[in-house]
Amino acid sequence: VQLQASGGGLVQAGGSLKLSCRAPRMILSTFNSNLMGWYRQAPGKERELVSSITAAGTTTYADSVKGRFTISRDNGKRTVYLQMNNLKPEDTGDYYCHALTARDLVYWGRGTQVTVSS
């Protein structure tokens, strides 16, 4: 199973980016039942959970991104999105897509880099 993350880039503070995470080879029923999430890792820091979304659509957010980021999923496209608005320099880092299946299997995608300039 491969998670394909994309959408990172360089943006000025206050700008927006939308990350996408696709799982084109995942069985649809498996994807639909997954807990999906986005983590990020800033230089010199540990990886942290940014946001997650359950199979039922329940979402969670880190306090630092509440009100600015929105996670969503399109099960038909096997894709999870992270809309990031009002970006701040402290949002800079590598963003990783994460999947936890109903059988407790964990998958990670390659990071997509987000750089926010002040």
Side-chain angles (χ1 to χ4, degrees), residues 1-4 21-37 55 73-80 97-109:
V1 174
Q2 185 179 27
L3 301 179
Q4 301 171 350
C21 173
R22 297 175 60 244
R25 298 179 181 177
M26 187 174 286
I27 297 173
L28 185 58
S29 59
T30 299
F31 182 88
N32 291 350
S33 63
N34 287 352
L35 171 68
M36 301 296 298
R73 64 192 296 162
D74 185 334
N75 289 338
K77 295 182 178 179
R78 297 176 177 85
T79 302
V80 176
C97 181
H98 172 271
L100 174 65
T101 75
R103 295 185 178 184
D104 289 334
L105 297 176
V106 175
Y107 299 99
W108 289 95

Side-chain angles (χ1 to χ4, degrees), residues 42-83:
K45 294 187 177 181
E46 294 186 353
R47 193 173 296 187
E48 63 174 350
L49 177 63
V50 175
S51 182
S52 66
I53 184 167
T54 69
T58 301
T59 58
T60 63
Y61 297 94
D63 287 342
S64 60
V65 306
K66 283 180 181 177
R68 301 186 297 120
F69 290 11
T70 302
I71 192 170
S72 61
R73 64 192 296 162
D74 185 334
N75 289 338
K77 295 182 178 179
R78 297 176 177 85
T79 302
V80 176
Y81 304 98
L82 186 68
Q83 176 67 47

Side-chain angles (χ1 to χ4, degrees), residues 81-93:
Y81 304 98
L82 186 68
Q83 176 67 47
M84 306 186 295
N85 297 329
N86 191 21
L87 282 161
K88 303 177 180 181
E90 51 264 42
D91 294 319
T92 294

